Amino acid sequence: VLDFSDPFSTEVKPRILLMGLRRSGKSSIQKVVFHKMSPNETLFLESTNKICREDVSNSSFVNFQIWDFPGQIDFFDPTFDYEMIFRGTGALIFVIDSQDDYMEALARLHLTVTRAYKVNPEINFEIFIHKVDGLSDDHKIETQRDIHQRANDDLADAGLEKIHLSFYLTSIYDHSIFEAFSKVVQKLIPQLPTLENLLNIFISNSGIEKAFLFDVVSKIYIATDSTPVDMQTYELCCDMIDVVIDISCIYGLKDDGTGTPYDKESMAIIKLNNTTVLYLKEVTKFLALVCFVREESFERKGLIDYNFHCFRKAIQEVFEVRMKVVRSRKHQSHLQKAKRPTPNGTPRMPL
């Protein structure tokens, strides 16, 4: 069992904390992103009354723990070891309900961030300004600016200007929550520069406009090339993945219902009415490459497929290096545990 105090678990599986006041939407975010729950179904979720931990292990890259903290729990209570909680945390997501009076939320945010930073200055602080689907575009921008200003002013007053907060406008009723989680997860992937570099090489040699490396299960993109991300482009990619998985589940299984709907043969081509082609190819069991290609460039599909073959081979090599590191650290962790004395003070004897 991986726990707060296990250094190996937090190194191999970075911990993401979900915090915020009650009814801010923390559990709904988790259910929609990682359990494919319909946003409308989240209306019937009961309020979380205990800490919930979930391991997300869809692939070697999307591999982390999420800890959902109830809004009513005072984890700064003397009986709570908040230092141990924050010590191994990779990212802290604080959810603020944009449709509510957020003064209390900002006060809790400031207290949480300042305590966490003292324990672990390496934490990424991510602020989700949530439930923005109920706000007009002007109101969204005004709310984000106000929360951004107040939160940073509070830190400046405390002499903590060096703490960096990242802000995202999110809603479970569109793809903004998936894009925000993508940005959070990318910061926890040590191989991200390598993946981005591979994607840049791939698109420049293939005449591709834009490429995403997606985790198929959660629709989080774990890497993209260096060109800017357009929200509509991202939404089209998510819709394409949904179509491919849904059709594969209907027609991709064997007659007896066995087999996997998504495998190394999985591939899809969708031609849009603006002379753009969407091209999806399976990279690994859990990863897909989704590309935007102009029709004239797609005529050289053989070149794209050859470059994709080289790209997939490089990704597999990155995976293999990652797995060697994981196995090495796991072995070191077991050795360290074996050296620890037993409760009565005698050293542990190897079996």
Side-chain angles (χ1 to χ4, degrees), residues 103-145:
M103 291 304 142
E104 185 185 349
L106 284 170
R108 175 66 74 92
L109 168 66
H110 180 73
L111 179 65
T112 306
V113 167
T114 51
R115 293 271 183 109
Y117 184 79
K118 287 177 184 175
V119 176
N120 181 3
E122 302 300 315
I123 292 180
N124 297 319
F125 295 106
E126 319 285 356
I127 318 303
F128 285 9
I129 303 169
H130 197 46
K131 303 182 183 179
V132 295
D133 49 275
L135 307 179
S136 65
D137 289 342
D138 290 342
H139 197 178
K140 284 180 191 177
I141 296 168
E142 185 183 329
T143 301
Q144 183 176 17
R145 188 185 298 120

Side-chain angles (χ1 to χ4, degrees), residues 8 12 59-61 63 191 315-331:
F8 167 74
V12 175
S59 73
S60 297
F61 290 110
N63 199 10
Q191 300 87 355
I315 289 285
Q316 287 168 347
E317 288 175 8
V318 175
F319 262 76
E320 286 168 10
V321 171
R322 170 65 173 158
M323 294 314 295
K324 285 178 183 175
V325 171
V326 169
R327 283 193 291 268
S328 173
R329 288 179 178 168
K330 195 171 184 178
H331 181 64

Side-chain angles (χ1 to χ4, degrees), residues 221-252:
Y221 71 93
I222 64 171
T224 184
D225 58 84
S226 53
T227 59
V229 175
D230 174 54
M231 189 63 179
Q232 283 184 315
T233 303
Y234 175 67
E235 289 178 4
L236 278 171
C237 292
C238 290
D239 291 343
M240 184 179 193
I241 290 171
D242 283 338
V243 169
V244 170
I245 296 300
D246 289 346
I247 292 177
S248 297
C249 287
I250 297 170
Y251 300 107

Side-chain angles (χ1 to χ4, degrees), residues 11 19-20 32 90 106 171 193 223 247 288 294 322:
E11 204 168 350
M19 294 183 171
V32 169
L106 284 170
S171 167
I247 292 177
R294 294 196 178 277
R322 170 65 173 158

Side-chain angles (χ1 to χ4, degrees), residues 63-263:
N63 199 10
F64 52 88
Q65 306 169 10
I66 292 184
W67 296 76
D68 184 1
F69 281 77
Q72 68 271 23
I73 281 190
D74 180 12
F75 50 90
F76 296 127
D77 187 275
T79 59
F80 233 84
D81 191 350
Y82 71 87
E83 287 195 11
M84 189 174 286
I85 293 171
F86 292 134
R87 197 174 294 127
T89 294
L92 191 158
I93 298 174
F94 197 93
V95 183
I96 297 177
D97 185 347
S98 65
Q99 298 186 33
D100 201 2
D101 179 13
Y102 43 76
M103 291 304 142
E104 185 185 349
L106 284 170
R108 175 66 74 92
L109 168 66
H110 180 73
L111 179 65
T112 306
V113 167
T114 51
R115 293 271 183 109
Y117 184 79
K118 287 177 184 175
V119 176
N120 181 3
E122 302 300 315
I123 292 180
N124 297 319
F125 295 106
E126 319 285 356
I127 318 303
F128 285 9
I129 303 169
H130 197 46
K131 303 182 183 179
V132 295
D133 49 275
L135 307 179
S136 65
D137 289 342
D138 290 342
H139 197 178
K140 284 180 191 177
I141 296 168
E142 185 183 329
T143 301
Q144 183 176 17
R145 188 185 298 120
D146 188 40
I147 290 175
H148 186 281
Q149 186 72 43
R150 289 176 185 273
N152 283 312
D153 285 350
D154 288 344
L155 291 175
D157 292 342
L160 295 168
E161 298 97 330
K162 56 189 171 183
I163 298 179
H164 176 70
L165 306 178
S166 299
F167 295 86
Y168 309 86
L169 293 171
T170 60
S171 167
I172 57 172
Y173 290 96
D174 59 30
H175 292 89
S176 59
I177 192 62
F178 293 96
E179 189 182 20
F181 241 106
S182 298
K183 299 282 181 59
V184 171
V185 170
Q186 284 169 26
K187 294 178 185 178
L188 303 178
I189 299 174
Q191 300 87 355
L192 183 63
T194 306
L195 298 176
E196 288 180 346
N197 189 38
L198 288 172
L199 284 165
N200 283 332
I201 295 169
F202 172 66
I203 68 165
S204 63
N205 290 325
S206 307
I208 290 171
E209 301 287 309
K210 184 72 181 166
F212 294 90
L213 190 61
F214 268 93
D215 176 73
V216 175
V217 177
S218 63
K219 288 187 293 190
I220 287 174
Y221 71 93
I222 64 171
T224 184
D225 58 84
S226 53
T227 59
V229 175
D230 174 54
M231 189 63 179
Q232 283 184 315
T233 303
Y234 175 67
E235 289 178 4
L236 278 171
C237 292
C238 290
D239 291 343
M240 184 179 193
I241 290 171
D242 283 338
V243 169
V244 170
I245 296 300
D246 289 346
I247 292 177
S248 297
C249 287
I250 297 170
Y251 300 107
L253 298 176
K254 295 178 182 176
D255 292 337
D256 57 0
T258 60
T260 54
Y262 182 77
D263 56 29

